[in-house]
Amino acid sequence: MKLTDIIATANHNLFRSKTRSILTIVAIFIGSFTIIMSNAINSGVNDYIDKQVESAGGDGYLEMMPTAIAENAMSAISGNGAVEYKENSVSAADQPYITDEQLAKARTIDGLESIDALHTASVDYIASTQTDKKYKLFNLNLVPRGDIHFDLSAGRKPDPESSAYEIALTEDFVSILGFKDNEDSIGKTITLAVPNTIDCYTAATHSECQRLVDATVVGVQAPGVLASGGPRANIALFEKVYDLASDGMSKETKNRAYQATAQVDPKRVEEIKAKLKEIGLTAMTIDDQVGMIRTFFDAILVVFNIFGGIALLAAAIGIINTLFMSVQERTREIGLMKAVGMGSGKIFLSFSTEAILLGFWGSVLGIAVSMLIGYGLNALAHATFLAELPTFNIVIFEPANMLVIILIIMIIAFIAGTAPALRAAKKNPIDALRYE
Amino acid sequence: MNTVIEAKNLTKTYGKKATAFTALKDINLKIYEGESVAIVGKSGSGKSTLMHLLALLDTPTKGTVLVDGKDSTKLSTRDLNKLRNERFGFVFQQFFMNTKDTVLENVLLPLKIARKSRKERKVLANSALKIVDLDSKARNKATDLSGGQKQRVCIARAIVNNPKIIFADEPTGNLDSATGDKITDLLFDLNENQGVTLIIVTHDEDLAKLCNRIIRISDGKIISDQTVRKDSKAKASARHEAEAARVKKANEKKGGRK
Ligand SMILES: Nc1ncnc2c1ncn2[C@@H]1O[C@H](COP(=O)(O)OP(=O)(O)OP(=O)(O)O)[C@@H](O)[C@H]1O
Ligand SMILES: [Mg+2]
């Protein structure tokens, strides 16, 4: 028998017992659909993150913090509290800041340039003259030096070199602060309230120890991963906020930096990160920061792939069952084929082909339905909640991925089919023909 | 005359030890090209067993089968399959058809196995169906046929690859006598006009008489081996006489019942 005939005949035989084959295909479909869909969503998310990171530029941008703090944060995120203790490691409580000594050492590292020590302070609220309401500001971020690009809906990026106080809002603040639209907010003044640490120890009410600073809105950040941090200030404003908060402190405490930014040669990032690690500083690139989001989605993908895998396992048992029934039913047919000269190898091949075809149809159905739902979802998303993010597709189908998934499922099906196919191949033509 | 199949000391034992049963005991026989051989005997005497061994569908416990003078035990499985596919045709007592497939599909199965092209398969299968007068049913599902039609499809399948030898195990066993005659006609026509060697297993004496050689077996042994007639004209007239007699008998039966 020719291979094309074997495939055509196997396919024909499959659909001789339609219900049974279709049910098996549906079982495979459930598994393949789960895997294909979750992979496609993961591809979508990763693609989006890639685009964000790419558009952010800033290949050489590094953020540094004390390793003790970084470990603390990481263990909180990952839930993995087991970190090896090394001699002289300090705990986060003992040293939450970057020491002058560390900064001095960092400055000697070759390839690490324009280090800015950042002194962070909290902001109580943000307000504008357009409305009486004040809004909490949980996080004031920084526009660091360098070529980092932010997607802006309006205006420009706050200038890191300028001595004027400049801020880029996020879109959610534009409307609540009473601006008509993004454009309307540009050039307007907003006020930040900063609690002074020393005063607040003694002040009767909290508002008494707040100090205010005005800043000019120069831009509005487009929604995206980087905008999720909140409004961004230029260095002048960022430092001013710290000055207001730390006014009255001793010079030594005042100078403590909790974070530092720097520029590095993008090709030497890993090497420089390792050097910083030696002096107790953990450095992260933008990619590293976004990487945490990626890790989260990858973990979800793993979970869904496990679900899909379990479904496929059940489907594989379905294949075994279907084929055993088929071999049983077709004992005579097998006997006849052997009698008229079909070899055992070809019999094995034809039943294996049926198994592989079950896998093939199941995964093709999985891909077809996933694509239908996926593209529908993309269209729906762009029409509604993702209207502002035209570059983001929730699901992306990568042909290579699809192909690999089809292949894997076909291999699983083949393996499942071996036992029944072997039984068929081993049948003796005479026993098969005598079979009642 | 050329020997096409020769059995040497054929013994077949089924089962092992306590349940061992020797169905064939030391059978020696030669079948010549163009013969029509009837293997007759009581039920359980070993007819089918002998036929299966001669057709190389089963392996003997002892002894050998020579095909065209060649020892079949020395053939590879591949060559054995090829031999059965190209030289032998089979008609079984039961129809053994894929009932959900079309008549044409059923008939061209041996050609598919023989790796013939689609086109050639169709042509050959259709001409085989023409011979059994069923070319009009080619596209029908095999289930939709009557018993006699099914057996004719099986004959079409047996002859589709132009076999030199046809093995038929009770080819008329499942059929009424009129339909049986049609099948018999077809088989003997192939024997007489195409030179196909016929090996027919039957317990029907009337059918056996149509053959030019009758081998009787009992308890796994050949008890007689007679070559009756060799002249084809005589055979044909004998067949028609026999058929006429049978039709008469059948009519009498019918009349009697009324
Ligand atoms: N696979 C087997 N295992 C054990 N015994 C078998 C097997 N096949 C056949 N036999 C026995 O061998 C003997 C001969 O069987 P065979 O089928 O050749 O008989 P037969 O002459 O064709 O009978 P029938 O006319 O009823 O078809 C019988 O007694 C049968 O029970
Ligand atoms: Mg029998």
Side-chain angles (χ1 to χ4, degrees), chain A residues 430-431 434, chain B residues 12-15 19-24 39-52 58 93 169-170 201-203 217 219-220:
Chain A
I430 285 312
D431 295 341
R434 280 185 193 270
Chain B
K12 179 72 183 178
T13 306
Y14 289 112
T19 58
F21 176 77
T22 303
L24 281 184
I39 300 175
V40 287
K42 290 204 307 283
S43 177
S45 54
K47 307 183 293 287
S48 297
T49 305
L50 177 61
M51 188 197 100
H52 293 152
D58 206 354
Q93 186 163 3
D169 195 347
E170 311 270 15
V201 167
T202 183
H203 56 247
I217 61 174
D219 293 331

Side-chain angles (χ1 to χ4, degrees), chain A residues 269-304:
Chain A
V269 168
E270 289 310 316
E271 167 204 336
I272 288 168
K273 268 159 99 178
K275 282 186 180 157
L276 286 168
K277 193 108 201 168
E278 279 170 25
I279 58 171
L281 293 176
T282 296
M284 283 174 137
T285 60
I286 289 191
D287 209 19
D288 289 335
Q289 295 178 30
V290 173
M292 297 201 288
I293 304 173
R294 235 191 271 259
T295 313
F296 172 72
F297 277 101
D298 282 347
I300 293 180
L301 177 69
V302 168
V303 170
F304 273 92

Side-chain angles (χ1 to χ4, degrees), chain A residues 148-226:
Chain A
I148 296 186
H149 170 81
F150 295 100
D151 271 343
L152 295 171
S153 314
R156 60 168 174 84
K157 166 175 136 176
D159 182 359
E161 312 297 339
S162 166
S163 58
Y165 303 147
E166 297 183 349
I167 192 165
L169 296 175
T170 49
E171 286 188 359
D172 44 351
F173 278 103
V174 170
S175 54
I176 60 171
L177 288 174
F179 301 114
K180 284 201 285 286
D181 55 34
N182 294 343
E183 290 299 336
D184 180 47
S185 69
I186 306 298
K188 299 275 162 53
T189 301
I190 55 94
T191 305
L192 300 179
V194 182
N196 179 277
T197 316
I198 303 289
D199 287 1
C200 285
Y201 275 122
T202 52
T205 61
H206 191 66
S207 51
E208 273 175 39
C209 63
Q210 281 171 343
R211 307 210 179 161
L212 306 181
V213 58
D214 286 345
T216 311
V217 177
V218 297
V220 177
Q221 301 174 66
V225 171
L226 292 175

